Amino acid sequence: MMIDVNVNLSRWPFRRLPCDTHDRLTLKLHQHDVVQAWVSSFDAVLHRDIGGVNLRLAEACKESGNVQLVPFGTVNPMSPDWHEDLRRCHEDYRMPGIRLVPNYHDYSLENAAVAELFQLAENRGLIVQIAFRMEDPRTQHPRLQVPDVDPAALSALAGRHPRLKLVLLNWQPAVTGTPLKQLAAAPNVFFDIAMCEGVGGVGSLLETVSVERVLFGSHVPFFNLESSLLKIRESPLTPEQLKAITHENAARLSADGASRVTNANS
Amino acid sequence: MLRHTAGVAAAAALAGRQSASASGQEDERSSKPLIWDVHAHLSGVAGTPEERIKKLLEYADRVGVDRVVFHLGFSRLTDPPPDQLRRDNDEVLRAMAVAPGRVFGFVYLNPNYVDESIREFDRCVTDGPMVGVKLWVAARCHESRLDPIVQHATRAKAPILQHTWLKTVGNMPGESTPADMAQLAARHPQATFIAAHVGGNWEHGIRAIRATGNVVAELSGSDPTAGMAEMAVRELGADRVVYGSDYGGRSLASQLAKVTGADLSDEAKHLILGLNVRRILGPICRDKGIGV
């Protein structure tokens, strides 16, 4: 049983992907024992009608089948009336969290709107995912080069919102050195493994981040799901560590997610 | 037994649970494919060459990689002088001695020092146990100064693995593109070339080498983007695609997933994972009496 916290629906703008249809994606997840996926939409990366993106995401996640698709709508705090997008995600669509893509939406984490968004999300009990990159800058389209998100401001922000649960996606290699150590020390910050690289990378990560805050994420369908599956095999992990990373930590993060997993298991 | 391990096991079905026999024959009869990683470095772990190779092979065991080709040494200098080349290659030779028949080596050469490189080839390949050439980023490979090295390697049946990238952010001055690789290969139709990373920007890289039949695409060193292996097989054929990882800088897992997770037949995956490299290295290994 696994919970994947880093999944996207719809189509990547620059190529077709083998699992970029709903049926193929859910089949792939189901074949590999993923019972729940935290899902955003690729459309949110470039579309400006974020309200429409989130509505389609919420509708698509109702067609879950064998895999529980949990929608994480996207909020762009640079977009007019983004507060309404946040409200809809929480109140209308009952989403447990939201996702931010600051680099494609062209803002820094130092922007005052981010602090306001964090405060509102904390008040609502929403999880906030931050995607530090979607694609290696070396392979991006030459007309759309997008650098990684700068993490410098994040540990201070996390400290000011201790009840806010922050999930960092695709954070390596953007978050290393001092920022990584600072964020690893923040109890409300969680790390996915989709872009955790280097031989034995997950095991190395556990030398810096406590196992309770490491989450199974795959960046599917952009990446092959097997990448993250094999990463937890490549590192010598104890059964307890595997359980924590593959589902227990994510289930604990979201009470709603936990109950769904329980139902799926019963 | 934890239920989640079933998911992992399913993903790793092609990777297998343990390394296969040294003969390779057993691999073809069993469902476990031979996995031969053609692109590995003594990095990501600490210690002497002997200590590093033991740790790196433990990781290889965990994901079912049977044989590994190492190149470059500890220094990772982009334009190493001849004495540094020798030190780098000596480190790989020491690692090879720990597990002969499982750990293979390609000699690191520098086209900016042609005569010294040929002597180093003879030391490590002609008179030593290495079975191929590694060229990195000292000089772009389409340049004619590479020709004597290629001719010398080809006489010894040694394949040439050339780093290739085509970075959106711009290549380094001596960094070769897949188009450079194709240009060199067209001048040497009897030689066998391995386009390492197939340009990183693989949609361009695969196309750049498509018309040059003596170049195979090697999949290592970029993110495990879905669709890479599928396009390579569609455009080149499965017999012109090989698995490599670029570990320890990269994860074995992320690179293996490009093949094991691909929408390809088992036959194609087996070729990519190991049979193609065995075919490429077969002639030189037979000459050296190395069983493959």
Side-chain angles (χ1 to χ4, degrees), chain A residues 125-237:
Chain A
L126 288 168
I127 298 165
V128 173
Q129 296 187 322
I130 302 173
F132 278 78
R133 67 163 48 173
M134 297 298 288
E135 182 180 15
D136 184 339
R138 297 177 302 171
T139 61
Q140 291 172 350
H141 192 284
R143 291 293 183 188
L144 194 70
Q145 297 183 56
V146 184
D148 294 341
V149 175
D150 183 345
L154 193 56
S155 67
L157 272 172
R160 285 199 291 275
H161 302 282
R163 291 183 295 113
L164 177 64
K165 295 165 184 170
L166 283 169
V167 176
L168 312 190
L169 306 178
N170 307 337
W171 54 272
Q172 198 180 51
V175 184
T176 57
T178 301
L180 176 58
K181 288 177 183 169
Q182 290 172 336
L183 290 165
N188 54 333
V189 178
F190 297 77
F191 300 77
D192 96 317
I193 64 165
M195 291 196 183
C196 189
E197 272 295 345
V199 65
V202 175
S204 299
L205 177 62
L206 296 181
E207 294 171 8
T208 306
V209 178
S210 66
V211 69
E212 294 79 15
R213 292 189 289 115
V214 177
L215 305 172
F216 182 86
S218 67
H219 198 30
V220 164
F222 192 87
F223 282 2
N224 284 309
L225 177 62
E226 287 79 356
S227 173
S228 286
L229 292 170
L230 285 167
K231 280 178 184 174
I232 58 175
R233 181 184 188 85
E234 180 176 314
S235 289
L237 305 174

Side-chain angles (χ1 to χ4, degrees), chain A:
Chain A
M1 176 177 62
M2 312 186 78
I3 298 176
D4 188 334
V5 304
N6 186 0
V7 176
N8 279 287
L9 289 178
S10 196
R11 291 184 181 167
W12 181 242
F14 301 102
R15 71 169 64 93
R16 291 300 306 270
L17 300 162
C19 290
D20 66 5
T21 61
H22 189 284
D23 289 348
R24 291 204 64 176
L25 177 68
T26 52
L27 177 64
K28 182 82 166 182
L29 294 168
H30 178 62
Q31 284 173 337
H32 293 291
D33 211 14
V34 175
V35 298
Q36 184 181 108
W38 296 8
V39 180
S40 285
S41 173
F42 281 138
D43 293 349
V45 172
L46 295 178
H47 289 210
R48 283 175 287 192
D49 177 14
I50 290 291
V53 171
N54 290 337
L55 174 60
R56 292 196 300 276
L57 175 69
E59 291 296 319
C61 287
K62 291 176 182 172
E63 308 167 24
S64 289
N66 290 318
V67 181
Q68 182 84 45
L69 300 182
V70 180
F72 275 61
T74 299
V75 175
N76 177 0
M78 300 298 105
S79 180
D81 200 25
W82 61 266
H83 302 77
E84 173 62 9
D85 292 327
L86 184 71
R87 187 201 66 76
R88 289 180 191 177
C89 286
H90 185 218
E91 297 179 15
D92 295 353
Y93 308 136
R94 299 290 184 187
M95 295 175 178
I98 59 168
R99 190 176 293 182
L100 308 181
V101 280
N103 51 352
Y104 283 90
H105 290 171
D106 201 22
Y107 62 89
S108 159
L109 295 178
E110 294 176 351
N111 193 296
V114 176
E116 184 187 1
L117 189 156
F118 277 24
Q119 183 63 63
L120 294 173
E122 184 180 35
N123 294 346
R124 290 176 179 273
L126 288 168
I127 298 165
V128 173
Q129 296 187 322
I130 302 173
F132 278 78
R133 67 163 48 173
M134 297 298 288
E135 182 180 15
D136 184 339
R138 297 177 302 171
T139 61
Q140 291 172 350
H141 192 284
R143 291 293 183 188
L144 194 70
Q145 297 183 56
V146 184
D148 294 341
V149 175
D150 183 345
L154 193 56
S155 67
L157 272 172
R160 285 199 291 275
H161 302 282
R163 291 183 295 113
L164 177 64
K165 295 165 184 170
L166 283 169
V167 176
L168 312 190
L169 306 178
N170 307 337
W171 54 272
Q172 198 180 51
V175 184
T176 57
T178 301
L180 176 58
K181 288 177 183 169
Q182 290 172 336
L183 290 165
N188 54 333
V189 178
F190 297 77
F191 300 77
D192 96 317
I193 64 165
M195 291 196 183
C196 189
E197 272 295 345
V199 65
V202 175
S204 299
L205 177 62
L206 296 181
E207 294 171 8
T208 306
V209 178
S210 66
V211 69
E212 294 79 15
R213 292 189 289 115
V214 177
L215 305 172
F216 182 86
S218 67
H219 198 30
V220 164
F222 192 87
F223 282 2
N224 284 309
L225 177 62
E226 287 79 356
S227 173
S228 286
L229 292 170
L230 285 167
K231 280 178 184 174
I232 58 175
R233 181 184 188 85
E234 180 176 314
S235 289
L237 305 174
T238 66
E240 290 72 25
Q241 288 172 324
L242 276 170
K243 278 194 293 185
I245 293 170
T246 55
H247 63 280
E248 285 183 348
N249 294 341
R252 195 166 52 246
L253 246 182
S254 165
D256 183 45
S259 66
R260 287 175 183 172
V261 171
T262 303
N263 292 338
N265 235 355
S266 60

